[in-house]
């Protein structure tokens, strides 16, 4: 599990070659990828991350049932859900964010998923079924299963894990507005995904989202304080819980159309800092996502009430466009990769690219452009920058390698992932203990099990370098929240491979 994505303020001017590469149609059109195949694999990755009893249609066959007694010691059923990355802990905060982003992709680009739409919905439901269990008790959200420190001292398959499956929760005495509001956002967003295909499930999701958000708002406080020893430094909330409250309200407004959430957003816009840190978007900081999401209301002519969010969204988008803004926290490598100082860089690449695409979609429908001071950018320009990042991931980079396992001729073979790096139960039925797995961790050999579709952390600086080494987890570990926004991006480009010609989905 990667360390928290902290970005420094050190500026690095983007080279002119990068500007040309990112904004010219010719450079983007240089290669064509099978985005549909990449989408299929991107979704398949989530099956490799499943915890619990695996269903009969499980396609990642080298995985087996795991965590079948999760929650039992606390008298609650917490089986299922996803392992967030290469370890065996279930972290509720990034899992909920993952579900929210997967749902957003389906909501905005559902028609582009084509034959992959149902498997994408199944990926969302594996998360939301778990989140429904985690919120079944009123005024309580179970936010983690597993002792991260004990788990990280072992290298073992999830099928063999014998480290404590300690259960952690937030409640009125131990508030966690951030994780609870993110969970509410996930449930609300998913309720839209299932509105037509399963109306009864959709209603249950929305009803629960309403209750969980009410708890998050009424009992305010960061879960990093209530559960500091358990969740820090892995998934500490560095940005505070205020952004999640706005984020949760925004998704509840979108899902329910209830006036109370509209009023909540406007009433708390300044108090909860809607305009703060808008250059960030990820499991920790939702500010940029809030502004892009709410801006759709303005761009579609539905709510001028939220005009300030549109201004914030424009300001954010401008920071991502090379040649228009040299924002100190947004940089590009010579090969064209967006990067922010820190680890697991591909989370920034996919999450920020998704916001570029979503905003371009809203602008296209409204016939609008992004205002960047004395200049402006068209929706097509935004799509080109997003597509350039997707193409970099799929192999258009100086190393000519795909950062998605199983896609292309060359891809990472030694990813930082326990289940992938240790022989499967089918190949090695005998248990492999906590310390016995260390030999596989240290081995220079490729992983025996392909975690198809996994996108690793990738290059973390301006060098475009990648060591393909298990020990360098900052670069070689995949996470669910790298893949989650990539689903929507790949779906869109599979249906609209030429961003200059395509409009909204």
């Amino acid at each position: 599990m990667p360390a928290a994505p902290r970005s420094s303020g050190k500026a690095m001017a983007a080279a002119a070659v990068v500007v040309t590469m990112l904004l010219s149609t010719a450079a983007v059109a240089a290669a064509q990828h099978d985005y549909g195949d990449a989408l299929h694999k991107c979704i398949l990755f989530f099956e490799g991350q499943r915890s619990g009893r695996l269903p009969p249609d499980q396609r990642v066959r080298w995985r087996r049932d795991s965590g079948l007694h999760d929650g039992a010691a606390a008298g609650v059923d917490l089986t299922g859900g996803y392992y967030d990355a290469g370890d065996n802990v279930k972290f509720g905060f990034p899992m909920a964010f993952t579900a929210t982003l997967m749902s957003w992709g389906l909501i905005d680009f559902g028609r582009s998923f084509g034959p992959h739409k149902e498997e994408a919905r199944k990926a969302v439901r594996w998360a939301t079924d778990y989140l429904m269990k985690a919120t079944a008790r009123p005024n309580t959200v179970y936010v983690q299963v597993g002792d991260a420190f004990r788990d990280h001292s072992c290298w073992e398959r999830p099928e063999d894990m014998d480290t404590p499956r300690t259960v952690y929760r937030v409640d009125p005495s131990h508030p966690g507005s951030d994780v609870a509001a993110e969970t509410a956002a996930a449930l609300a967003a998913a309720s839209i995904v299932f509105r037509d295909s399963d109306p009864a499930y959709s209603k249950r999701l929305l009803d629960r989202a309403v209750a969980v958000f009410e708890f998050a708002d009424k009992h305010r406080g960061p879960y990093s304080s209530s559960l500091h020893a358990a969740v820090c430094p892995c998934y500490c909330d560095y940005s505070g819980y205020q952004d999640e409250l706005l984020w949760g309200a925004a998704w509840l407004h979108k899902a329910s159309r209830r006036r109370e959430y509209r009023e909540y957003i406007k009433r708390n816009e300044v108090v909860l800092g809607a305009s703060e840190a808008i250059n960030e978007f990820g499991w920790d900081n939702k500010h940029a996502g809030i502004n892009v999401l709410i801006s759709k209301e303005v761009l579609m002519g539905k709510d001028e009430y939220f005009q300030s969010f549109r201004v914030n969204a424009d300001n954010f988008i401008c920071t991502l466009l090379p040649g228009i803004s040299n924002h100190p926290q947004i940089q590009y490598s010579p090969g064209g990769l967006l990067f922010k100082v820190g680890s697991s860089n591909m989370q920034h690449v996919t999450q920020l690219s998704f916001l570029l695409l979503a905003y371009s979609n809203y602008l296209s429908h409204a016939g609008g452009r992004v205002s960047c001071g004395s200049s402006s950018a068209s929706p097509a320009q935004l799509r080109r920058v997003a597509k350039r990042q997707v193409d970099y991931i799929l192999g258009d980079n100086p190393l000519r390698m795909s950062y998605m396992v199983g896609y292309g001729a060359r891809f990472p073979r030694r990813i930082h992932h326990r289940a992938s790096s240790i022989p499967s139960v089918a190949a090695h039925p005998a248990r492999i203990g906590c310390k016995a797995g260390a030999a596989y961790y240290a081995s220079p050999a490729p992983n025996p099990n392909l975690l198809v579709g996994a996108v690793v952390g990738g290059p973390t600086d301006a060098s475009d370098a990648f060591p393909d080494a298990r020990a360098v987890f900052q670069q070689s570990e995949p996470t669910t929240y790298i893949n989650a926004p990539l689903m929507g991006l790949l779906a869109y480009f599979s249906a609209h491979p030429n961003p200059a010609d395509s409009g909204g989905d």
Side-chain angles (χ1 to χ4, degrees), residues 113-180:
F113 275 79
H116 306 292
K117 189 170 186 178
E118 182 54 33
E119 62 189 60
R121 279 199 294 239
K122 285 183 179 179
V124 173
R125 187 157 187 160
W126 195 267
T128 54
D129 280 353
Y130 173 82
L131 295 176
M132 288 292 279
K133 293 178 180 180
T135 57
R137 293 184 178 178
N139 293 319
T140 301
V141 180
Y142 290 92
V143 301
Q144 185 172 313
V145 180
D147 182 320
F149 297 96
R150 295 284 292 278
D151 179 270
H152 291 175
S153 70
C154 292
W155 194 260
E156 59 186 348
R157 302 177 297 203
E159 294 84 357
D160 289 336
M161 61 181 171
D162 52 6
T163 52
R165 301 300 287 170
T166 312
V167 171
Y168 301 92
R169 71 182 192 183
V170 294
D171 55 33
S173 301
H174 309 87
S177 298
D178 32 28
V179 66

Side-chain angles (χ1 to χ4, degrees), residues 373-391:
S374 60
S375 61
S376 67
S378 69
Q381 284 178 283
L382 272 56
R383 288 192 291 272
R384 283 199 291 270
V385 175
K387 186 174 183 290
R388 176 70 188 100
Q389 297 308 301
V390 172
D391 288 347

Side-chain angles (χ1 to χ4, degrees), residues 28 48 129 149 165 208 250-251 307 321 334 366 383 387 396 468 488:
V28 177
D129 280 353
F149 297 96
R165 301 300 287 170
R208 184 65 58 79
W251 277 108
Q307 182 63 39
L321 302 179
R383 288 192 291 272
K387 186 174 183 290
D396 292 359
D468 193 14

Side-chain angles (χ1 to χ4, degrees), residues 184-334:
L187 296 171
S191 77
I192 303 173
V193 170
F194 293 102
R195 186 175 289 161
D196 295 329
S197 61
D198 193 339
Y201 185 60
S202 172
K203 184 179 186 305
R204 291 198 302 274
L205 290 171
L206 183 55
D207 289 346
R208 184 65 58 79
V210 168
V212 174
F213 182 78
E214 183 179 351
F215 159 69
D217 189 41
K218 183 177 180 180
H219 303 282
R220 293 190 179 189
Y223 93 137
S224 305
S225 296
S226 298
L227 299 172
H228 189 272
V231 304
C232 296
C234 301
Y235 288 104
C236 242
D237 186 357
Y238 294 95
S239 70
Y241 62 82
Q242 291 85 352
D243 54 322
E244 276 81 25
L245 288 175
L246 272 179
W247 177 244
W251 277 108
L252 277 160
H253 179 249
K254 186 176 181 68
S256 71
R257 309 311 300 176
R258 295 181 188 173
R259 189 176 186 87
E260 65 186 275
Y261 298 113
R262 177 181 183 270
E263 298 298 331
Y264 181 97
I265 293 166
K266 194 62 184 175
R267 186 172 67 252
N268 288 286
E269 176 184 357
V270 175
V271 177
L272 297 179
S275 63
E276 295 176 6
I278 59 168
N279 61 300
E280 293 276 2
F281 183 59
W283 60 261
D284 179 20
N285 191 319
K286 313 305 187 312
H287 285 294
I290 292 163
N291 286 290
V292 168
L293 180 65
I294 295 177
S295 290
K296 183 179 182 181
E297 301 286 315
V298 182
L299 288 164
M300 301 309 289
K302 293 179 179 178
D303 209 330
E304 286 297 320
Y305 201 47
F306 292 140
Q307 182 63 39
S308 57
F309 291 88
R310 163 79 196 279
V311 174
N312 291 339
D314 271 13
N315 291 339
F316 157 70
I317 293 295
C318 293
T319 69
L320 302 181
L321 302 179
I324 291 179
S325 172
N326 289 322
H327 196 280
Q329 291 193 354
I330 304 293
Q331 305 163 28
Y332 286 91
S333 72

Side-chain angles (χ1 to χ4, degrees), residues 10 12 331-346 392 403 457-467 474-475:
K10 187 174 77 169
M12 180 178 291
Q331 305 163 28
Y332 286 91
S333 72
L337 180 69
L338 182 156
F339 74 92
K340 293 167 71 70
V341 176
S343 64
S344 190
N345 184 61
M346 286 303 182
Y392 187 107
Y403 288 100
T460 57
D461 57 28
S463 67
D464 291 298
F466 180 74
Q474 299 92 334
Q475 296 183 261

